[in-house]
Amino acid sequence: MTGKNNIETNAIHVGEEPNLKEGGSGDVVIPIHLSSTFARKEINKPTGGYEYSRSGNPTRDALEKKLAILEDAKFGLAFASGLAAESVIALTLLKSGDHVIAFDDLYGGTKRLFNHIFNKNFKIDFSYVDARNTENIKHAIKDNTKLIWLESPTNPLMKLCDIKTISEIAKNKNIIVVVDNTFMSSYFQKPLNLGADIVIHSTTKYLNGHSDSIGGAIMLSNEEIYKKLKFNQNAIGAILSPFDSFLVSRGIKTLALRMERHNENAIKIAEFLKVHPKIRKVNYPGLKEYPQYELAKQQMSGFGGMLSFEIKGNLNEAKLFLENLKIISLAESLGGVESLIEHPALMTHSSLSQEEREKIGITNSLIRLSVGIENVEDLINDLDNALKNFD
Ligand SMILES: *Cc1c(COP(=O)(O)O)cnc(C)c1O
């Protein structure tokens, strides 16, 4: 199989081509290779290149091939979690005294990792800027800036940044651009094609898509950086298990179908919420009145299934609303087939101080919704009924 096919086809076939050779079994699905070690006939010839499952495993290899093709990348790597993937990037590309510029509205766990480990223990300096305005990135660049870390759209405020322009600025200064593409998935946005150097995903979310595996991925085409990351993936040991590799591989096969439905449902829900008398504001890049709608259309091929909104009420009203939903689960995480809703200030972003939250706009009235692929009328009725629980 070559990479010439389209994403829907690649997502199903790449990495899982049946072995039709003599002795092959012709499986159309990659088996779960649970073996921790691999026997060899000759002392310096590992059979099929495999030695020990931390350094390489056939099921993980199959997934890594699939991951690469999703982002039009040459290489893919699978990790035990999104944060494990992020840690390996930071440990590989940064050293004490380096400077990183990051979007100020990053995933809470990413900020915790940067602030509590890489800043405190390794003396790496972070500047958080509002990357909606590219000038803010430009002004934050210092002589020791090594990395620009972006999410677009961000979590939970759905802010976008211009990945292409930022990547051009970074290239001129030899700064590496990393994009966390978890929210759009590889289906709706391809940061490498916009000029970024490295893409990461929490595969826990859309790529696996069924809320039953924690995992992370890195995709890139730069061979020199890939070799270092691959070496450190083994040296650090933060690998994805064979069983999870199988699950993510299976999930990816329906990525295209799922993303189309997430997108379709999210647009309908955003339209419903924006005219609802108890809703103050809806953050969804697919709404024509969204301030960055034009940029969204330019760099994304869809708008995804994530949105956030502010209710006309405070913490108490937020509780009355959230605790009375019947179909939509009150839970952290996102990107599964089932709809999930949460309160960023009390849940996903509670590790940030109130001051940090207020600075970027995470208020007690803000709700984040991961729109699933259920029947959209059922979801709208559920939201409508729970909104009746406060005045
Ligand atoms: C969940 C998430 C992560 C962290 O991934 P884990 O798999 O939970 O470690 C990173 N970035 C974004 C945008 C996420 O949503």
Side-chain angles (χ1 to χ4, degrees), residues 81-84 86 107 110 151 155 180 182-183 200 202-205 214-216 334:
S81 68
L83 285 171
E86 295 181 16
Y107 173 71
T110 303
E151 275 179 42
N155 173 13
D180 180 338
T182 301
F183 261 42
I200 77 121
S202 167
T203 61
T204 314
K205 317 296 166 51
I214 299 276
L334 60 106

